[in-house]
Amino acid sequence: MTYLAKPPLHHPSLERNAVGFTRRDYEGRISTLCAGCGHDSISAAIIQACFEIDLEPHRLAKFSGIGCSSKTPDYFVSPAHGFNAVHGRMPSVLTGANIAAKDLIYLGVSGDGDSASIGLGQFCHAVRRGVNMTYICENNGVYGLTKGQFSATSDKGSKAKKGAENKDSPIDLVMLALQLGATYVGRSFSGDKTQLVPLIKGALSHKGTSFIDVISPCVAFNNHVGSTKSFDYVREHNEAVNRMDVISPRAPIRADYKPGELKEVVQHDGSILRLRKLEHDYDATDRNAALGYLARKATEGEIVTGLLYVDPEASDLHDGLNTVDCQLNKLTDQELIPPLSALEKINASLR
Amino acid sequence: MTYLAKPPLHHPSLERNAVGFTRRDYEGRISTLCAGCGHDSISAAIIQACFEIDLEPHRLAKFSGIGCSSKTPDYFVSPAHGFNAVHGRMPSVLTGANIAAKDLIYLGVSGDGDSASIGLGQFCHAVRRGVNMTYICENNGVYGLTKGQFSATSDKGSKAKKGAENKDSPIDLVMLALQLGATYVGRSFSGDKTQLVPLIKGALSHKGTSFIDVISPCVAFNNHVGSTKSFDYVREHNEAVNRMDVISPRAPIRADYKPGELKEVVQHDGSILRLRKLEHDYDATDRNAALGYLARKATEGEIVTGLLYVDPEASDLHDGLNTVDCQLNKLTDQELIPPLSALEKINASLR
Amino acid sequence: MKPIAATNDFVVKFANVNGSGSASANGMFAKVVLRMGVPVGARNIFPSNIQGLPTWYEVRVSEAGWLGRRGGVDLMVAMNPQTWDADLKEIMPGGYLLYDSSKPLPASKFRDDITIIGAPLTELIAAEFSVPRERQLFKNICYVGVLAHLLGLESDTVKQLLTEEFKGKDKLIQPNFKAFELGRAYAEANIAPIGLRVQRSDKVGDRIFAEGNDAAALGAVYGGATFCAWYPITPSTSLAESFQKYCTMLRKDADGKNRFAIVQAEDEIASIGMVIGAGWAGSRAFTCTSGPGISLMNEFVGFSYYAEIPAVIFDVQRGGPSTGMPTRTQQSDLLLAAYASHGDTKHPMLFPGNPTEAFEFGAQAFDLADFFQTTVFVMLELDIGMQEWLTEPFKWDEKRRLNRGKVLTYEHLEQGVPFGRYRDVDGDAVPYRTYPGTHPTKGSYFTRGSSHDKDARYSEKGEDYTEGMQRLLRKWDTMKSHVPAPIIKKAKKRTPDGVIYMGSTDPAMEEALCALESHGIHLDALRVRAFPFSNEVFDFIRDHEQVFVVEQNRDGQLKSLLVNEGGVHPARLVSVLHYDGTPITARFIIKDITEKLQAGQAAALPEKAK
Amino acid sequence: MKPIAATNDFVVKFANVNGSGSASANGMFAKVVLRMGVPVGARNIFPSNIQGLPTWYEVRVSEAGWLGRRGGVDLMVAMNPQTWDADLKEIMPGGYLLYDSSKPLPASKFRDDITIIGAPLTELIAAEFSVPRERQLFKNICYVGVLAHLLGLESDTVKQLLTEEFKGKDKLIQPNFKAFELGRAYAEANIAPIGLRVQRSDKVGDRIFAEGNDAAALGAVYGGATFCAWYPITPSTSLAESFQKYCTMLRKDADGKNRFAIVQAEDEIASIGMVIGAGWAGSRAFTCTSGPGISLMNEFVGFSYYAEIPAVIFDVQRGGPSTGMPTRTQQSDLLLAAYASHGDTKHPMLFPGNPTEAFEFGAQAFDLADFFQTTVFVMLELDIGMQEWLTEPFKWDEKRRLNRGKVLTYEHLEQGVPFGRYRDVDGDAVPYRTYPGTHPTKGSYFTRGSSHDKDARYSEKGEDYTEGMQRLLRKWDTMKSHVPAPIIKKAKKRTPDGVIYMGSTDPAMEEALCALESHGIHLDALRVRAFPFSNEVFDFIRDHEQVFVVEQNRDGQLKSLLVNEGGVHPARLVSVLHYDGTPITARFIIKDITEKLQAGQAAALPEKAK
Ligand SMILES: Cc1ncc(C[n+]2csc(CCOP(=O)(O)OP(=O)(O)O)c2C)c(N)n1
Ligand SMILES: Cc1ncc(C[n+]2csc(CCOP(=O)(O)OP(=O)(O)O)c2C)c(N)n1
Ligand code: SF4
Ligand code: SF4
Ligand SMILES: [Mg+2]
Ligand SMILES: [Mg+2]
């Protein structure tokens, strides 16, 4: 589906992308989050990424659950339809919509409470089905909207603002996503836009389940000393395994790097993920190695970021379902209603 | 709590264990499962294990969800209280009971549908809390009771009885349990009682969360060629990493093995897990190594069995909660109801 | 005791062991009678288990066409030693017992007021078959042979049916013939004719023998459903399976690709979530489940109500509460479905009364859901869903189009049709919506379960909230004239008494009405087919002094809904309740209503509650 | 326009920004008035957000003791530019506006029928404080200083309260004094006295100023609860937090170990599952949640009903349906809670009418749950749970023991007391139970949600099932005389009119009754405090020609329950419904009832539904 670009109401100086939109066309309503909240930075990165990959804004479909993080889809890409589901159940709603209208680009935004507590089952199952989506968890280690309880991604021993210590083992959604078959897995930090924007771009261009865990400090309830999800803690323990550029299918290919230093991964839609290794023996296309590396680093207290795994050949849920090319929501009556003769045959078989 | 042993109504020839019970005292009602169902073998192994570790039968508390597997607690250890919860929610019920009455031995029995589909969230969260229990998943890769649909532990490409192929990535509960902090993790096969009985014994004696995944073929719906959970398939791909004996705290220690070949792990209650390695570089006390090994073997299509991980120093949920030694359900009115003076003080503070 | 003599009017019951393969032989028996033109009401009574527990199949042969359960057994085919004693007790005095006489049984095991018919089935079969599983299976068809002789079933018809049944597995046909003949010949040679007979007739017409779940699934196909998200649960599983079957048959395109999708979700919450996602995006989607699933779906159903998203839920009701009786029938999810979820909510329900209506409502539910943008419950019951009923053939008007309701397209938006997601543009309180991706600059909106204004913007203002909630009530009013109307049957004589009922009670009620009439008791009858109730329902109540409300639950849930929605005085509605998990019978209804009329109980208003 | 003149009878409203620290200053204001012996009704009105959105605090000063919301504002403290226009509109003609005059505002921003009072708060504070966060915080206490002068609040009382408030953080006391003095002194020097005054009185007595959630949590402590499993959700979160606070204070043993456990579960389903597990094992356990949580708990609640396991759920009701209005109040979960879960089920509910009752019922719920072995809902509301109410002090009878219901111990079993889990031994339909691990050979049983016989064995027999279901109905009857009885207030004159209401409607209703009486309208009043309803409730209805049912939801849920359980003619119950999320006011009740009486609407039975 392509339509005429948006009428040019905007300030002429705003740069347009290949499909004729300005960055402002990807904005949303004014955020109601706390000043300084990590989630707002992620919204900005999403806006940037959508603009840069030349996505017509209405071709995005935005989903979320409940939480501060889950409010954000209202704050970016207003021309896209948005859906604020019930708490923890966004993955199922997104899956259903994707089944109905597969040609759109699906973005799910959730929080660590929404994804790792009440929503853990749906998260895991959406991943194992290979739903074609980008799933971003805005991970602050607390329930922001209900005022600062531990979430299931809180590290053992991490301290709450009022001093209580978390005793439960943490859930690492990246490890789960890897284990359950996600085909594009990354981790980043709301404070690192240079890393985050390309990760989102790559994810949106990926066919299959993309998961990005973004550590996103909660300035109101989890940014104190003793928290392992504070700005300071994350900055100190952030270990990026690679840096990535995403090159659009249309862009001319330049080869100005020395071989070895770079790895190029061509995705389904022709986009190229150009990976510059920072950790020299990290191979982002080896799932088991990634699992092992992450487990080790987690024990050491390091937060591994970057593109952690990608399978550019991935298939998705629709492949498994063997659906027709036409979106299910566009099938006509004729394509849907069987002929009367079929009904008569069935009647006959039941006599 | 100790009581007089059961009055000796039984055939005198039946051997008694150290607490005065015969094997028959650990039996249950007659099974209503299909003849040949793997689950019945697991029930037999549970009976054997309880008998051998000298557990007074009423000190066991049995829990399950819904499914053929979840019916089994009715078929073993009748003098124990049993609880058939709703589908997929056994872990929470067990957790609550354990909080109320921590001195009992907790056994949860579930199926792969009950644990990995509807119950995945509760399974993961009970594990990460370190509930002191033995959780056995009777894993047949299908929904037995609802007649043969794929469960979430079905391998990708595994075939249903009527031929359909599973397209979703499998959930490996052992991998999840390891990742989420279970402190005793094993896998076995309903057809291998020699391996299974000691695994259960060790689990029941373990303090902390013990998880045992038992492949348990469903003869009615998932024992055909093409299924990766059939008796034949499991026999062919079973790779035991070790063999274990469990030596009770009371038993005299014998040392008749060559050093190196054996590893002894002393558990919290004094019981000793004597592990004979079959896979020479497998270390059952290294969580990260176990994760890596299992991931690799899973890719190769091998089913790794044995005691996969144990942390004998584990703490449990009650440690985290800092509860009193007395079971909460035995606290008296006096211990529970604060004095009137406290109330008056509170009233005063609210004026 | 005189042996019962009856032609085309008796009950045969088969007592078997679950998993022994009896179901197909028993079904065959019922179908033979049907092919002979004699109506049959047939019911499987099975345990919640896979193999080894007792199971029964009850066939009511009724030339008069009474298809409800009758109660009592005229001929018991007792194949299960486990239930022998109880089975024998059920036989009516003068009735018949057919049993496997291969092993001798002591006389004390029998009754002397019935006719005992032994046939050495095991021996007969053992002599001809050697594989154990075959022996087990063919014993079943062997007793059909015995029955064929005893009751006068046409052998050709049996063989014709066997041939059809095993089409594709042709090598099974001859052994089945043989087993059948073994039984038939043995009976012919050894057993005296009995008083029960099946005689060819012409009372079946063009009716079909169909299960409600299968019919509803087919209805969903004709109704344009493209997506089913489900989680297995008895007794709804076969609905999803049938949808798979019919879609595979009718919805493949030329390249073998699917114009449908079916996802077995991880649980019921995910199922309804997917359905809502698809409905939001413009695909007709449904889930099928039973009571426990409805309980779990509560939160999402409230979301669908408030955010106004179409969804269809087939609730195949079983015995509650909790896990209850998974393989027994009830009508006990009404209250839950009607007001599912926290806050003020109301949801439409359809009550098919037979598989034909299951087909019709299975299609219509999607038009209603799309038009009213809300969850529509199709309230099936195990007794309809999982039993084969003799029912009218499925009909479809080829000119019928899917009514997708108020959807603004790209063209509308281009033409400048204004869009506000929750505005009442047409005065019927039904708003317009858009599918995602419709237009680059117009028509996007944000869907949420939190309070919102007419343009779907977040709002905590009391006025925005109440305005929306009041519109939802007006939408509810609009619905009343769109859902299936009740079916009213007037008594032959003017009467102050009425009866209201629904769903699977239909055949038992028809029979009861006829019998009551013959006793001089006249009742006007109304079968409710949908909630919200249309005015006709309340007119009917107003026009009668007392109205019996017959339902299959403990608490009179339909009565509660009638009282609550219609402002009816509860004392004028007299509950007739049957809820032990077996299908309601005409006998029960007749007895209960007669007693209540006699006691005049209904007329006297209870003192406390005037 | 004459400025309003009123002493100890006016409404002050504070308009602030969420997260700006205004709550504690505003609360201080209310407490000062209370300490001066003048009753106060105070309410926070806050958004579903953490920082930056509008929030209000409304204080009704009422010597007469009317604690409900009044409606209208006499003095607005307008600190939020975002809501300035709307806030100004709310001021009654002749009322007052206090604003921060540091920045000049155009005349068009004001009204000329009110008294405008400017105080340069920002400037005053900026001159003395430099840290930005301090400036924000102290501005709040500064306007309290201004108000102290304007209204005649006692400075010493303010300072006393500040000292108590900051006990432990003593270095905050002086700066607060200073900020207060800045405002007070500025006002004294620059602002003319106004018509509103607070004058010391003696109408507060020994009452306390408490929140319902806090009170309920304390009740749970006294009621012997040892375990709370919960999942955060507004407006119930503070209940769990208070339980933590009070347990830490009152339930530590000598070694610092806990005689309680609190688990933040992964969701509401797990919360109720844990509660049921603990209840089964003999610990008193509860969860607290709001509407969405109740929807999710449906399946387990039905399990608890059918398997007969004690559980307590505090439902702090908020605006539904769906996510609805999380920070607004409603009484709209009644129908859901009453009949939660599929199949035939009924669950007791308690309706505390103020924090004191929240304390009492918070304890009593556990006795009821243990005795009746079922889920007991304590139906709180945001308006009670999260607002501070002036309420009677908490009382506890030291001789009171926890009633753990029918539990067989080791000794009973040893003595040979027979045990059958679901037997009705005492004729009250309440069975006996055992805790796990009680006895080596006697007393074990198997708990299940599937159908069972009297000895808890699995059974698919219709008789076993119906026997159990009927006993549950009889148990329900037993319950009626055990739950808190209604409170009846007779009108001064004999009257055919009554009114029924519940929960947080209490203060508004008291005021309304008094006002109606002064207009010559007499109503007998009954406050329902529990479901099932006791006979007194239906006697009350019988004894009146028409009864208004006042409730805070759209669909008249309490009325539905009355009709459904009592066989009452719905036409005799006239709904008075308030449901925009704000607390109901006496004004609303008076107006609605007066109009309905005038229209005679209640008397005329609707034609359709006689
Ligand atoms: C069923 C249900 N339970 C609980 C809540 C209350 N609730 C709202 S947001 C939230 C947690 C949000 O945490 P997270 O997803 O981490 O988001 P954050 O606010 O931290 O970004 C909870 C528990 C709810 N809305 N619905
Ligand atoms: C809420 C709910 N949904 C669905 C069901 C139906 N159901 C019963 S058992 C079962 C699956 C059991 O599978 P599994 O746990 O693997 O047990 P198995 O029978 O294979 O041993 C299902 C879906 C149910 N009882 N409750
Ligand atoms: S509470 Fe935390 S997560 Fe929520 S908006 Fe504020 S900073 Fe962000
Ligand atoms: S159906 Fe499968 S799992 Fe169930 S009892 Fe039979 S063999 Fe066992
Ligand atoms: Mg969070
Ligand atoms: Mg299974």
Side-chain angles (χ1 to χ4, degrees), chain B residues 33-34 37 39 68 140 144 218-221, chain C residues 50:
Chain B
L33 303 186
C34 302
C37 176
H39 301 348
C68 295
N140 54 16
C218 169
V219 294
F221 301 110
Chain C
I50 304 303

Side-chain angles (χ1 to χ4, degrees), chain C residues 411-425:
Chain C
E411 290 71 26
H412 292 128
L413 295 167
E414 269 303 288
Q415 285 156 21
V417 176
F419 173 61
R421 176 64 182 95
Y422 296 115
R423 289 175 182 265
D424 178 5
V425 178

Side-chain angles (χ1 to χ4, degrees), chain C residues 215-225 239 275 283-287 309-315 348-352 356-380 396 400-405 433 479 482-484 529-531:
Chain C
L218 186 61
V221 175
Y222 276 82
L239 205 161
V275 167
S283 271
R284 298 192 150 191
F286 73 90
T287 186
I309 299 177
V312 172
I313 300 177
F314 293 93
D315 176 6
M349 299 187 279
L350 309 182
F351 306 111
T356 309
E357 281 186 356
F359 171 78
E360 287 166 17
F361 295 178
Q364 193 182 354
F366 293 94
D367 280 357
L368 290 169
D370 264 1
F371 188 80
F372 289 104
Q373 303 167 38
T374 199
T375 295
V376 175
F377 285 96
V378 184
M379 304 299 282
L380 284 155
W396 188 262
R400 177 165 164 185
R401 297 274 60 100
L402 307 178
N403 177 359
R404 294 195 172 263
R433 61 184 185 129
M479 232 178 272
H482 284 70
V483 295
R529 301 201 301 165
F531 179 77

Side-chain angles (χ1 to χ4, degrees), chain A residues 116-118 120-121 124-125 127-130 151-154 156 166-172 175-176 179-182 288 291-292 295-297 299 315 317 319-321, chain B residues 116-118 120-121 124-125 127-130 151-154 156 166-172 175-176 179-182 288 291-292 295-297 299 315 317 319-321:
Chain A
S117 293
I118 191 168
L120 187 62
C124 292
H125 284 276
V127 168
R128 58 182 285 271
R129 284 190 190 102
S151 83
T153 66
S154 283
K156 212 167 185 156
N166 180 36
K167 309 277 186 177
D168 300 334
S169 300
I171 292 180
D172 183 341
M175 290 285 278
L176 290 185
Q179 215 173 277
L180 297 171
N288 286 341
L291 268 173
R296 242 175 306 127
K297 287 291 174 179
T299 315
S315 61
L317 175 60
D319 294 330
L321 291 173
Chain B
S117 294
I118 190 167
L120 186 63
C124 292
H125 284 277
V127 168
R128 60 181 283 273
R129 284 189 190 101
S151 83
T153 66
S154 283
K156 211 166 187 158
N166 180 35
K167 309 277 187 178
D168 299 334
S169 301
I171 291 179
D172 183 342
M175 290 285 279
L176 291 186
Q179 216 173 278
L180 297 171
N288 286 342
L291 269 172
R296 242 176 307 124
K297 288 291 174 178
T299 316
S315 61
L317 176 60
D319 294 331
L321 290 173

